[in-house]
Amino acid sequence: MIGVDDILRAFRADLHLVALILAANYALAAICAVREVMNSRTSQGSIAWLLSLLLLPFPTALLYLVFGWKFFDDYAIDRIKLGRTLRPVRARDLALIDQQADKEWPVLSGVAELPFLSGNKVEVLIDGKETFDSIFDGISRARSQILIQFYIVRDDRLGRELADRLIERAQAGVKVYFIYDEVGSTGLPKTYRERLRAAGVKIAAFNRRHRFLRMYGPARLNYRNHRKIVVADGEIAWVGGHNIGVEYLGEDPRFGHWRDTHVRVRGPAALACALVFREDWEWATGELLPADPPELVQTPGDQSVLVMGTGPADRLEECAIAFTDVIAQARERLWIVTPYFVPDTDVRTALYAAAIRGVDVRIMLPEKPDHLLVWLASIAHADAMVEHGISMYRYTDGFLHQKVLLMDDRIASIGSTNFDNRSFAINFEITLWFPGHETIDTVERMLLADFEHCRKVSAAEVTGRSLVWRFVAQAAKLFSPIL
């Protein structure tokens, strides 16, 4: 029979354990608070974190580890070891730099830590069939090496066709390296990966090697590799918004037609895409890929391309800096297409200033949601744009997923970067910038066709929203820093 003394002893033992846990949590909260003060980006955000850590250390300290503390200092070190600072020198030695574009866009080339590279042939690929026909044809023609990286990889018809083609090339002696993101590819079965490995494909999850991130799973949930890169033989690269899944072919009845854009680049820019992949592979596996460029780099075209890889390992939020610089230079038109529109204060201010200057600012968003919370937050941000005289368009012919920007007749971009804080500051992304008129004209024609499938959001629609609707959208907007 358990006596009162036994119960008291057990209670005192539990109190010691509770006290130890509380002390550890307060210590962690103090460490997080010091770290936030030393690395503060905005006073408002830092004050919110500090008050929460003080008043509610549990679970705020754990939340801070997930959403406030970056874990990629060693990724930045890897980039230095891989010779990122020597890239412009090597490009100059090979006479590949577009000096005029570099001079015109110093912020973009500074963020990329790469120069604009000339001598490329560029093909804009519209929608899934055209994109994957091109990628699969390039894979089938690869002779020595295939680098492939996607945020989402599904074991469906498209995913299995990709696996079949990679396996065929691997068995033919081509070296195949494959990165996927654990969060985006959560449902990818082990049998899919094992089948590839058995055929000689080297496949790796982006964060799998890093034990702390593996142990502390939520941290991995917040920092994702959102890049979509395929490089064949260091000569041809594909970059854009598509992932590996049949919905990107328009075969998901929930979304119907899936509007997306990729770009195929043949020439020196493909080597730059391979270098971005190489950094990710080193982080993911610890292996160094051979990356000595050929003595003679093929220049099959006359277009200039800048390859900009960005992510949480950057010293500053360099992706946001690059896009804000482009917005600030707009004088005639600024057309932005994105599925997720959750800009921070700096980007919003730049957009408002562009509208005041008389720039034709148009932002194209999807009519239907795929992620409800992000969609609701984007409505709040979009309504504010309309109130400031910016034209908002909703794409009605299926789901819009492309990430494209067109500024004046000076530059266009295509890549994996959404117009939200996650892409600008949290995710690993890749954006290709094109200052040449040929690609700018192609993008212009493409977007004019897309606007034909849009409805313009009117001021009356914004002011006519119900109080409940506005409250829900504004509440979702509060989550903007992590969306």
Side-chain angles (χ1 to χ4, degrees), residues 120-319:
N120 298 283
K121 183 177 181 180
V122 177
E123 180 185 2
V124 177
L125 304 169
I126 299 175
D127 287 337
K129 185 180 188 307
E130 188 173 355
T131 295
F132 288 109
D133 283 350
S134 179
I135 290 175
F136 287 164
D137 179 68
I139 288 173
S140 297
R141 294 173 183 270
R143 305 178 305 277
S144 60
Q145 185 187 75
I146 297 170
L147 311 177
I148 183 165
Q149 174 177 16
F150 284 95
Y151 174 62
I152 295 173
V153 181
R154 302 199 193 283
D155 185 20
D156 57 15
R157 182 182 65 79
L158 184 65
R160 288 188 288 273
E161 182 176 356
L162 173 66
D164 291 343
R165 290 177 179 271
L166 294 177
I167 288 170
E168 186 277 328
R169 286 291 82 198
Q171 292 175 341
V174 176
K175 295 180 180 179
V176 182
Y177 303 90
F178 192 168
I179 302 174
Y180 66 94
D181 184 86
E182 299 97 318
V183 177
S185 304
T186 301
L188 188 66
K190 185 178 180 181
T191 53
Y192 186 97
R193 305 191 297 272
E194 289 177 341
R195 180 174 171 237
L196 288 168
R197 289 194 181 99
V201 175
K202 292 192 174 183
I203 181 170
F206 182 62
N207 283 317
R208 188 63 59 186
R209 180 170 68 100
H210 298 271
R211 295 187 179 277
F212 181 74
L213 290 177
R214 290 176 61 187
M215 175 186 69
Y216 190 61
R220 193 171 66 244
L221 294 178
N222 198 39
Y223 297 100
R224 308 165 193 172
N225 195 313
H226 194 243
R227 292 171 180 152
K228 294 92 172 164
I229 303 172
V230 180
V231 184
D233 297 332
E235 298 175 357
I236 309 174
W238 292 263
V239 170
H242 290 88
N243 285 294
I244 303 300
V246 295
E247 65 267 36
Y248 293 85
L249 294 172
E251 297 180 10
D252 186 332
R254 175 189 170 195
F255 296 106
H257 174 227
W258 187 282
R259 178 68 190 92
D260 219 329
T261 300
H262 239 68
V263 63
R264 175 185 184 267
V265 177
R266 184 179 173 209
L271 286 174
C273 293
L275 287 169
V276 174
F277 179 95
R278 184 180 178 229
E279 291 173 351
D280 286 350
W281 184 263
E282 159 69 4
W283 162 265
T285 68
E287 296 179 23
L288 285 174
L289 293 182
D292 293 330
E295 290 301 318
L296 179 63
V297 178
Q298 297 296 320
T299 53
D302 59 359
Q303 297 194 59
S304 180
V305 180
L306 177 72
V307 177
M308 188 179 79
T310 55
D314 296 341
R315 291 177 292 107
L316 303 171
E317 292 181 0
E318 296 178 0
C319 185

Side-chain angles (χ1 to χ4, degrees), residues 28 31 47 55 57 98 120 130 137 166 184 195 201 237 282 296 372 375 378-379 388 417 423 433 435 453 481:
L28 177 59
I31 293 170
I47 290 172
L55 299 175
D98 182 342
N120 298 283
E130 188 173 355
D137 179 68
L166 294 177
R195 180 174 171 237
V201 175
E282 159 69 4
L296 179 63
L372 183 60
W375 183 73
S378 74
I379 288 177
H388 284 78
T417 306
S423 279
W433 296 91
H453 297 284

Side-chain angles (χ1 to χ4, degrees), residues 340-357:
Y340 314 116
F341 182 69
V342 192
D344 66 8
T345 302
D346 294 339
V347 174
R348 292 198 305 271
T349 302
L351 290 169
Y352 297 155
I356 292 171
R357 287 196 304 274

Side-chain angles (χ1 to χ4, degrees), residues 404-425:
V404 177
L405 180 146
L406 178 63
M407 192 274 269
D408 294 350
D409 289 322
R410 295 178 58 196
I411 201 162
S413 73
I414 299 172
S416 68
T417 306
N418 298 311
F419 236 75
D420 58 15
N421 188 64
R422 174 162 292 282
S423 279
F424 285 172

Side-chain angles (χ1 to χ4, degrees), residues 88-108:
V89 176
R90 178 60 174 161
R92 191 177 302 110
D93 290 344
L94 294 171
L96 299 174
I97 295 180
D98 182 342
Q99 301 282 359
Q100 181 178 349
D102 259 11
K103 184 177 180 180
E104 187 174 359
W105 301 103
V107 173
L108 294 183

